[in-house]
Amino acid sequence: MLVQTEVERVKFIVRSYIRTRLFKIEKFARYIMTNPEVQQRLSESEVEHARRFARLTDQHFYHSVLQSLPETQQTLDDQPPFVPSMVTEPDKTRAVFVLARQDCPPVRLPDGTALDMRKGHISLTPYSVVEQLIARGEVELV
């Protein structure tokens, strides 16, 4: 009975992880499709899901709203001055938990202080601060 309970707990965690990952892929589908660097970090099935989701939402917006607008305003890629982009991008100032996989060079926090991360150290920092460390594999998201 204890083993079965543990198996159910692990299944719940895996499902929760997959749900969260799919939510993020759907939320940033148009951003993923316009950024080849991000596509390289995803599996083939995840990129395909983002492609289909972006196409479906584009079709939905066109049929429900955009077709009623003047022809010059019927696209979602417009970037007029002083108006935010229509493509939702991830917020890189948002805090994330990271685990240092090795001793890392000091990183500069937004308030000007330096953070020294040793192997095994877990930190809560803005994503933009540790983005390069994640790309190099020196830290990983928790």
Side-chain angles (χ1 to χ4, degrees), residues 51-71:
R51 182 177 295 117
R52 284 192 314 249
F53 189 83
R55 188 174 18 125
L56 286 173
T57 54
D58 288 352
Q59 289 173 352
H60 170 71
F61 289 147
Y62 179 78
H63 292 301
S64 62
V65 176
L66 295 175
Q67 70 181 359
S68 304
L69 297 175
E71 193 170 317

Side-chain angles (χ1 to χ4, degrees), residues 67-138:
Q67 70 181 359
S68 304
L69 297 175
E71 193 170 317
T72 58
Q73 298 176 340
Q74 289 185 354
T75 64
L76 293 173
D77 299 330
D78 292 15
Q79 288 215 345
F82 310 112
V83 177
S85 172
M86 292 188 189
V87 177
T88 305
E89 295 183 10
D91 181 10
K92 293 186 178 185
T93 62
R94 190 169 185 164
V96 294
F97 284 99
V98 292
L99 168 68
R101 298 173 76 190
Q102 61 191 39
D103 289 343
C104 302
V107 292
R108 180 89 35 211
L109 297 174
D111 66 356
T113 60
L115 173 66
D116 190 29
M117 295 180 13
R118 300 283 175 216
K119 183 176 182 175
H121 184 235
I122 296 177
S123 299
L124 177 65
T125 62
Y127 180 81
S128 59
V129 171
V130 293
E131 184 175 11
Q132 295 302 318
L133 296 175
I134 292 171
R136 292 193 303 254
E138 295 177 18

Side-chain angles (χ1 to χ4, degrees), residues 7 15 21 23 27 29 40 42 87 124 136:
V7 167
R15 285 187 196 124
R21 191 155 172 96
F23 171 76
K27 182 176 181 181
Q40 291 176 351
L42 300 175
V87 177
L124 177 65
R136 292 193 303 254

Side-chain angles (χ1 to χ4, degrees), residues 8-46:
E8 293 300 320
R9 186 184 72 78
V10 169
K11 284 171 37 179
F12 173 80
I13 291 171
V14 169
R15 285 187 196 124
S16 177
Y17 172 78
I18 291 172
R19 267 193 308 272
T20 302
R21 191 155 172 96
L22 281 175
F23 171 76
K24 289 180 180 181
I25 289 171
E26 290 173 358
K27 182 176 181 181
F28 302 114
R30 295 195 85 230
Y31 174 75
I32 291 169
M33 297 313 342
T34 60
N35 193 333
E37 181 183 317
V38 174
Q39 291 179 25
Q40 291 176 351
R41 292 187 231 148
L42 300 175
S43 71
E44 185 63 36
S45 60
E46 289 171 334

